[in-house]
Amino acid sequence: MRTLFRKLGQVGWSFPIILALVGLCIASIFAITSATYGNDALKDAPASQARYIIVGFIVYLAVALTPYQMLVRISPILYAVGIGLLIACFIPHIGKKTFGAYSWIKIGPLGFEPAEFAKMTFILGMAWFLRVRENQIQNFSTVFIAWAITVIPFALVLKQPALGTASVFFPVCFAMLWAAGARAHHLVIPLALVASVVVLSYYWIHVWDKPVPFLKPFQVNRIKIFFDPSLDSKGAGWQIDQSMIALGSGGIDGKGWRQGTETVLGYLPKNTSYNDLIFPVVGEDFGFRGAAALIIGEGTVLLWCLWVAARARDKIGTLVAVGVMTMLFTHIFVNIGMTIQLVPITGIPLPFVSYGGTFLVACLAAMGLVQSVWVHRKNFERI
């Protein structure tokens, strides 16, 4: 019991980051309320989000008080469970097709997205693998095996299809390899391969207009629209145009909460404005100031992860914190970037702000992992 109170004391010293997380979650309630205003089908979304915030912070605290070293030790089992759940998405009567993707598991009244759990188990599993291969980290075989471990969840999530979520795995792998001390030229090889695929895909899709076997037609269309929204300004290009209009029309101070015409009148699609397109909702309602405050809040979370990574008691703690930071950064960069035509539109939510119970709880659990690294930088067994 004494050890528990000491750990809680260490969590208490993290008050600024907890305040940032609470602020982002409160902002999500306001943004979701505005995005669903006047939509009877989604009128319960803000209350649902509030319930998941409570659950998320309970999970956050539970994970924070659990030694991360213990979680890493059992991570091969957790990784296997995560892969099994991704496979279960495609099993009839277990997997549930939502918005054209087999991304949910439905068991009775309960439903969740296994991909969010798989991202967590992947980070823990990669930390375990890199710890085991610590003496061979500068061998190319270590990099090759790490990327092979990454391909499995990536391919399963891509098959759902959920390209946005799948895109998170490889940046996390790269960052953790770099933090573990892999040779730079070994990391350049897969990066050069990825860059070659991106360039080839551009010419293949946009210039030569050829089909891509591993992408669905709607995904190919999104990539085309990214380069030229006017190709389908009333269809796939609509989201890009309306997102940028919403952000621009908000000005410096915004139009006021629930006063944004793009949002309330439905120019921002109602089925995505409270989730993937939540950032334009904030920009229109609260203007540049509100959008900047949101970015600062997300940035504070990322900086905290780096702070903890630099002060972890061991390499495993550093790797876990770097993995979580990269996962969150990828979500933030892609989600905000797609609303300002920096990256193609894809289904990827904004951490702590977008609507979604599984995703919100997973993000808070991930921050609980980072908090655990911070709390357990002290050896409580000797106290």
Side-chain angles (χ1 to χ4, degrees):
M1 184 63 69
R2 183 181 179 186
T3 298
L4 176 62
F5 282 116
R6 288 181 179 271
K7 289 183 179 182
L8 287 171
Q10 290 299 311
V11 173
W13 282 109
S14 306
F15 179 75
I17 191 61
I18 296 175
L19 187 62
L21 291 173
V22 171
L24 287 169
C25 289
I26 291 175
S28 77
I29 299 295
F30 281 93
I32 292 169
T33 300
S34 181
T36 58
Y37 183 63
N39 189 339
D40 292 338
L42 298 173
K43 63 181 180 180
D44 295 329
S48 177
Q49 185 78 349
R51 289 191 293 269
Y52 280 114
I53 288 172
I54 295 173
V55 173
F57 273 104
I58 293 174
V59 173
Y60 168 85
L61 185 60
V63 175
L65 297 177
T66 303
Y68 65 93
Q69 299 97 331
M70 183 188 74
L71 295 174
V72 171
R73 279 197 296 270
I74 64 173
S75 62
I77 299 174
L78 296 176
Y79 175 84
V81 171
I83 297 301
L85 290 173
L86 289 176
I87 294 173
C89 289
F90 303 101
I91 299 177
H93 308 299
I94 296 179
K96 179 184 177 183
K97 191 174 185 179
T98 305
F99 296 113
Y102 290 95
S103 57
W104 279 74
I105 285 181
K106 186 76 171 179
I107 302 177
L110 301 176
F112 65 98
E113 295 179 273
E116 304 304 335
F117 175 75
K119 285 186 288 190
M120 294 280 294
T121 60
F122 170 73
I123 291 172
L124 291 169
M126 187 60 67
W128 174 86
F129 168 74
L130 294 176
R131 175 64 181 86
V132 170
R133 298 279 297 193
E134 186 176 15
N135 295 330
Q136 295 86 34
I137 190 62
Q138 295 193 338
N139 296 343
F140 180 71
S141 59
T142 299
V143 176
F144 180 81
I145 296 172
W147 285 80
I149 293 171
T150 308
V151 163
I152 299 173
F154 170 82
L156 288 171
V157 176
L158 186 64
K159 182 176 173 58
Q160 290 181 354
L163 178 60
T165 301
S167 66
V168 173
F169 289 96
F170 278 107
V172 171
C173 176
F174 174 84
M176 293 183 73
L177 280 168
W178 177 79
R183 292 180 182 271
H185 64 275
H186 287 165
L187 296 177
V188 167
I189 294 173
L191 282 179
L193 179 61
V194 171
S196 300
V197 170
V198 170
V199 172
L200 180 60
S201 298
Y202 167 75
Y203 281 96
W204 193 267
I205 295 172
H206 188 63
V207 179
W208 301 328
D209 198 23
K210 301 290 185 179
V212 181
F214 59 87
L215 292 180
K216 300 294 183 181
F218 76 90
Q219 293 172 330
V220 173
N221 194 39
R222 284 178 174 178
I223 295 174
K224 289 181 178 180
I225 297 304
F226 167 68
F227 292 107
D228 186 3
S230 65
L231 291 175
D232 189 12
S233 59
K234 298 297 183 182
W238 180 265
Q239 294 186 66
I240 297 177
D241 289 341
Q242 298 306 316
S243 294
M244 297 184 71
I245 291 173
L247 286 167
S249 64
I252 297 296
D253 298 316
K255 298 177 179 177
W257 184 48
R258 300 192 306 184
Q259 301 300 313
T261 53
E262 291 290 312
T263 302
V264 175
L265 298 181
Y267 292 104
L268 275 175
K270 288 288 187 182
N271 63 331
T272 55
S273 62
Y274 71 125
N275 191 328
D276 298 338
L277 299 181
I278 198 72
F279 185 69
V281 174
V282 174
E284 185 177 28
D285 281 6
F286 303 104
F288 175 80
R289 298 181 193 275
L294 184 62
I295 293 174
I296 290 172
E298 299 280 12
T300 300
V301 172
L302 298 179
L303 288 175
W304 166 254
C305 293
L306 287 178
W307 173 272
V308 173
R311 287 156 179 78
R313 66 179 293 180
D314 53 25
K315 196 70 171 183
I316 291 179
T318 297
L319 292 172
V320 169
V322 167
V324 171
M325 186 277 295
T326 307
M327 179 192 75
L328 295 174
F329 171 80
T330 304
H331 270 275
I332 295 165
F333 176 79
V334 175
N335 178 273
I336 294 177
M338 71 184 185
T339 65
I340 56 177
Q341 207 177 346
L342 188 62
V343 298
I345 289 283
T346 184
I348 187 168
L350 185 62
F352 315 109
V353 182
S354 290
Y355 176 81
T358 306
F359 178 66
L360 175 61
V361 172
C363 286
L364 288 171
M367 287 305 298
L369 268 179
V370 179
Q371 184 67 267
S372 177
V373 174
W374 173 256
V375 168
H376 295 94
R377 74 192 188 284
K378 295 181 176 293
N379 192 348
F380 289 97
E381 295 177 358
R382 296 180 180 177
I383 296 177

